[in-house]
Amino acid sequence: MPHTIVVTGASRGIGRAAVERLLRGAPDTHLVLVTRDASGRGLPAGDAVSHCTADLSSLADVRRAAEQIAARLDSGDLPPLRGFVGNAGIQYRNALTPGAEGLEATFTVNVLANHLFVRILRDRFHAPARIVLTTSDTHFGDLRHNLAMVPGPVWRQPDVLARPGAFPVPDSTGAGRTAYSTSKLATIYLVHEYARRLPAGIDAIAYNPGFVPGTGLARHADPLSRFAMRYLLPALTLTPLAISPRTAGRFLADIVLGSAPAPSGSYVDRRRVARSSAESYDPDRERDLWNTVESLTADHPDVDSTDAQRPHSMDGPPHIA
């Protein structure tokens, strides 16, 4: 049966490879690719693909894009929604970069944008459906998982994390990387909350691709780091320490299509369900984060304040792997 999958972060790296895999493996799927470039230049084209423009650091832009997709689903212009892939991610050289609304841009792109898409589209999902958010093993914060290249997360109250300057020496590269790893921990918390609140048959999964050099994630890094990520570190894909964007994209597509088994609320490390960090299982933090992301998206002038009350309709029994 024809269905729709919405994908962010599809213009390069893991997302691009996942889209190519989805088009080959699910010919009855219509992909809506959310991109920053209005031309869709370099992206797959054809009857099975459409493009929607949004700057994910702007909640107004995200809302406009999500509402456009919702309207197309409601009108029958798109087949039923069976998937959302929040693959877009960003890392900055500091923890001071604001998005359009003044919120910290890492948190906005990596956490709030995903939540706003899901929040607006949630009543359009047709079971069985999957929401897959790309996270990172940097949330472990140890040598084994990130080769000491990224500091581990430093959790604060979510309303603090959402604002610029949440970490010590906020204008430093270390603070920017800490903002990144902390946002990825928040992604796992958000997946746990979706697993509790979404109706049966709509699964939420956190996907960790591992270390994937050459994706463009470090495009805001210093010149030396950009050079290393683009030209030197890809050699690590010949070892167990890293995988290529194509392989990571294949794993992501398999999760989205359900060919890789994963219960709702689970953490998939490359291709298998695994335990995320001990810190990532914290119902109190998960609840606090939920309240904050609901408030921040609802407080935006373009967000209907009545919609902020709708999480109560999503309440359900916990189902967390």
Side-chain angles (χ1 to χ4, degrees):
M1 177 180 176
H3 57 270
T4 296
I5 297 175
V6 178
V7 185
T8 72
S11 61
R12 67 182 81 195
I14 297 170
R16 176 59 183 264
V19 164
E20 293 171 353
R21 172 83 165 190
L22 290 169
L23 290 173
R24 291 194 306 269
D28 59 347
T29 298
H30 184 95
L31 298 181
V32 178
L33 309 183
V34 182
T35 64
R36 189 165 184 167
D37 184 353
S39 70
R41 183 174 53 251
L43 288 170
D47 294 339
V49 179
S50 56
H51 303 134
C52 185
T53 307
D55 176 357
L56 300 185
S57 68
S58 164
L59 294 182
D61 243 26
V62 171
R63 183 169 184 83
R64 177 190 51 75
E67 289 183 337
Q68 287 178 357
I69 296 169
R72 294 184 65 193
L73 290 163
D74 292 345
S75 70
D77 182 48
L78 290 173
L81 181 64
R82 291 287 179 85
F84 172 77
V85 184
N87 177 67
I90 198 69
Q91 178 179 306
Y92 289 94
R93 295 175 63 181
N94 57 59
L96 292 172
T97 303
E101 288 78 22
L103 300 170
E104 199 274 321
T106 310
F107 194 86
T108 301
V109 173
N110 297 357
V111 182
L112 293 176
N114 286 329
H115 183 65
L116 190 48
F117 269 114
V118 172
R119 195 171 148 227
I120 291 172
L121 296 176
R122 67 186 173 213
D123 291 337
R124 280 88 179 179
F125 284 103
H126 287 245
R130 280 193 162 184
I131 295 165
V132 183
L133 305 185
T134 300
T135 184
S136 166
D137 51 10
T138 60
H139 85 276
F140 280 91
D142 58 19
L143 178 63
R144 175 187 166 207
H145 287 91
N146 63 27
L147 306 179
M149 291 188 293
V150 178
V154 177
W155 192 253
R156 306 275 192 252
Q157 285 297 315
D159 58 339
V160 174
L161 295 174
R163 313 289 173 176
F167 306 102
V169 196
D171 60 345
S172 67
T173 298
R177 292 175 178 173
T178 301
Y180 175 79
S181 63
T182 305
S183 75
K184 293 305 184 178
L185 175 61
T187 295
I188 299 173
Y189 289 152
L190 199 55
V191 163
H192 290 172
E193 282 296 299
Y194 289 148
R196 290 187 177 98
R197 295 170 181 268
L198 291 169
I202 304 175
D203 296 340
I205 297 160
Y207 165 61
N208 167 45
F211 180 46
V212 188
T215 63
L217 175 66
R219 57 189 176 276
H220 294 288
D222 60 89
L224 181 59
S225 296
R226 292 200 305 270
F227 179 84
M229 285 291 287
R230 184 171 183 179
Y231 296 108
L232 302 180
L233 294 178
L236 291 178
T237 60
L238 301 175
T239 77
L241 297 176
I243 63 174
S244 70
R246 181 165 297 278
T247 299
R250 184 175 77 248
F251 293 164
L252 174 57
D254 289 345
I255 297 167
V256 175
L257 294 175
S259 55
S264 190
S266 61
Y267 172 81
V268 177
D269 182 11
R270 297 163 180 84
R271 66 170 71 190
R272 63 182 181 86
V273 175
R275 293 282 294 181
S276 49
S277 70
E279 186 181 8
S280 70
Y281 298 92
D282 189 321
D284 291 336
R285 288 184 180 181
E286 291 160 9
R287 183 180 58 252
D288 289 346
L289 176 66
W290 178 268
N291 292 336
T292 296
V293 297
E294 282 286 282
S295 174
L296 289 174
T297 52
D299 284 345
H300 186 269
D302 291 336
V303 176
D304 182 355
S305 61
T306 60
D307 197 47
Q309 305 305 315
R310 296 181 65 188
H312 299 293
S313 66
M314 296 170 60
D315 287 345
H319 184 186
I320 298 178

